[in-house]
Amino acid sequence: MKIKSQKLSKNEKVVLEVVKKSNGPIKAYTILSDVKKNGLKAPPQVYRALDKLIKKGKIHRIESKNAYLDCQNSKCKTSSRTAFSICQKCEKVTEIINTKLSKFLSNFKDDAGKEYQKYNLEFYGICKKCKS
Amino acid sequence: MKIKSQKLSKNEKVVLEVVKKSNGPIKAYTILSDVKKNGLKAPPQVYRALDKLIKKGKIHRIESKNAYLDCQNSKCKTSSRTAFSICQKCEKVTEIINTKLSKFLSNFKDDAGKEYQKYNLEFYGICKKCKS
DNA sequence: TATAACTTGTTATAATATAACACTTTTATG
DNA sequence: CATAAAAGTGTTATATTATAACAAGTTATA
Ligand SMILES: [Zn+2]
Ligand SMILES: [Zn+2]
Ligand SMILES: [Zn+2]
Ligand SMILES: [Zn+2]
């Protein structure tokens, strides 16, 4: 199994910094307006960087929010198996890092006996802060 | 726990029929062009119907594809707990109906001991047909 | 029948994402 | 090194997906 290079290009670095310093999931066009000071001007520059960063396991896409979040899991070498907790009130998102869960899903066989190399799981609820 | 009415409005019925007869996930604007013969003309008419149908558990949204699929699970009274198998080659999507899986996820507690009443899980792989 | 709740029709626009093409930089290879 | 291949960048235009806002019609129900 070939290991994908984790080296980042100039634009990838710029975009990753913005995603990292955002407090939670950030949208592509929010990133774009932010990176304009770094000389990036057009959507494709941002989307390309996002796509690469996802492939390199540096960030994840929160599908139900069209937003991007930096990986909070040191073990996340790739983006192939992800799980998130999403607050329906404040929109806070955290990556779930749970061995029992990832083992269960990685080993899961469907009724045809098929296993899956890749999954994305999004849990929805109300976070602790919003409950109190 | 209040049971949501499953009664469908005229537009909801029209849209549901199109989703049902499509062979796999269908996009909102594909639905729109299809329902034009029924007098529906504008995106909001389709999107409203889709939203209601999702809430009523008649269809599901495949988040990673921006597409809609009719519910294949007779037990799916609501859309709160869903799992899908998605072929990365032919884009075929099937709803996973598996008691072990749904029990595990429904009972899953994160590290803070929190349970979730809602989730969406998308598995990605290559379907049987595409493998052979 | 009044009135609230829901449903529809319509126009316009917002938000998200990609195609296509020219050019530059980096990497690999003989 | 030379040079070709691969990866990355800049740019314009456009495609795709989704919602805001408002007016009007319909249905439930008390
Ligand atoms: Zn991660
Ligand atoms: Zn919250
Ligand atoms: Zn279902
Ligand atoms: Zn397939």
Side-chain angles (χ1 to χ4, degrees):
Chain A
M1 189 153 122
K2 194 175 161 208
I3 304 289
K4 204 166 276 142
S5 163
Q6 297 301 113
K7 210 175 148 188
L8 302 185
S9 77
K10 174 183 148 280
N11 288 1
E12 286 160 28
K13 281 177 194 160
V14 168
V15 168
L16 179 57
E17 279 321 297
V18 174
V19 176
K20 269 188 187 305
K21 72 165 199 272
S22 105
N23 191 23
I26 185 171
K27 303 258 186 176
Y29 276 74
T30 307
I31 295 169
L32 177 57
S33 66
D34 201 325
V35 297
K36 281 189 170 158
K37 55 178 170 304
N38 297 90
L40 279 78
K41 286 171 186 156
Q45 296 176 300
V46 170
Y47 280 104
R48 281 174 195 149
L50 288 172
D51 288 349
K52 291 290 177 65
L53 289 168
I54 288 168
K55 280 184 188 136
K56 292 174 182 176
K58 299 298 185 185
I59 66 173
H60 301 300
R61 180 178 152 85
I62 310 303
E63 294 290 350
S64 61
K65 302 180 82 66
N66 300 329
Y68 305 84
L69 185 69
D70 70 300
C71 178
Q72 291 154 34
N73 182 355
S74 59
K75 289 176 198 149
C76 230
K77 295 290 186 309
T78 72
S79 302
S80 62
R81 290 167 176 179
T82 49
F84 302 95
S85 161
I86 302 173
C87 177
Q88 289 167 311
K89 270 200 182 167
C90 72
E91 318 248 294
K92 188 187 165 185
V93 177
T94 52
E95 188 165 359
I96 295 176
I97 300 162
N98 183 293
T99 310
K100 228 175 126 186
L101 178 64
S102 58
K103 273 196 179 154
F104 182 90
L105 293 176
S106 298
N107 295 329
F108 175 75
K109 289 183 181 65
D110 67 18
D111 290 351
K114 177 173 165 43
E115 282 189 24
Y116 296 87
Q117 317 308 324
K118 183 167 159 57
Y119 63 75
N120 179 57
L121 171 60
E122 301 186 358
F123 280 112
Y124 306 90
I126 309 294
C127 79
K128 224 170 157 183
K129 210 173 180 180
C130 287
K131 255 183 185 156
S132 61
Chain B
M1 186 154 125
K2 195 177 162 208
I3 305 287
K4 202 164 279 141
S5 161
Q6 297 300 114
K7 209 175 150 189
L8 303 185
S9 78
K10 172 183 148 286
N11 289 1
E12 286 159 26
K13 280 178 196 161
V14 168
V15 168
L16 179 58
E17 279 320 297
V18 173
V19 176
K20 269 189 188 303
K21 73 164 195 273
S22 105
N23 191 22
I26 186 171
K27 303 255 184 179
Y29 276 73
T30 307
I31 296 170
L32 178 56
S33 67
D34 200 327
V35 296
K36 280 189 170 157
K37 55 179 171 301
N38 297 90
L40 280 79
K41 287 171 186 156
Q45 296 176 300
V46 170
Y47 280 103
R48 280 175 194 147
L50 288 172
D51 288 349
K52 292 290 177 64
L53 289 168
I54 289 168
K55 281 185 186 134
K56 292 174 182 177
K58 298 298 185 186
I59 65 173
H60 302 299
R61 182 178 150 83
I62 310 303
E63 293 291 351
S64 61
K65 301 179 83 65
N66 301 328
Y68 306 84
L69 185 70
D70 69 299
C71 178
Q72 291 155 35
N73 183 354
S74 59
K75 289 175 197 149
C76 229
K77 296 292 188 306
T78 72
S79 302
S80 62
R81 291 168 176 176
T82 48
F84 302 95
S85 161
I86 303 174
C87 177
Q88 289 166 312
K89 269 201 183 169
C90 72
E91 318 248 293
K92 188 186 166 184
V93 178
T94 53
E95 187 165 359
I96 294 176
I97 300 161
N98 182 293
T99 311
K100 230 176 125 185
L101 177 64
S102 59
K103 273 196 179 152
F104 181 89
L105 293 175
S106 299
N107 295 329
F108 174 75
K109 289 183 180 65
D110 67 18
D111 290 349
K114 178 172 165 40
E115 282 189 24
Y116 296 87
Q117 63 279 53
K118 184 166 158 58
Y119 64 74
N120 180 56
L121 171 60
E122 300 186 358
F123 279 112
Y124 306 90
I126 308 294
C127 80
K128 223 169 155 182
K129 213 173 178 178
C130 287
K131 255 184 186 156
S132 59

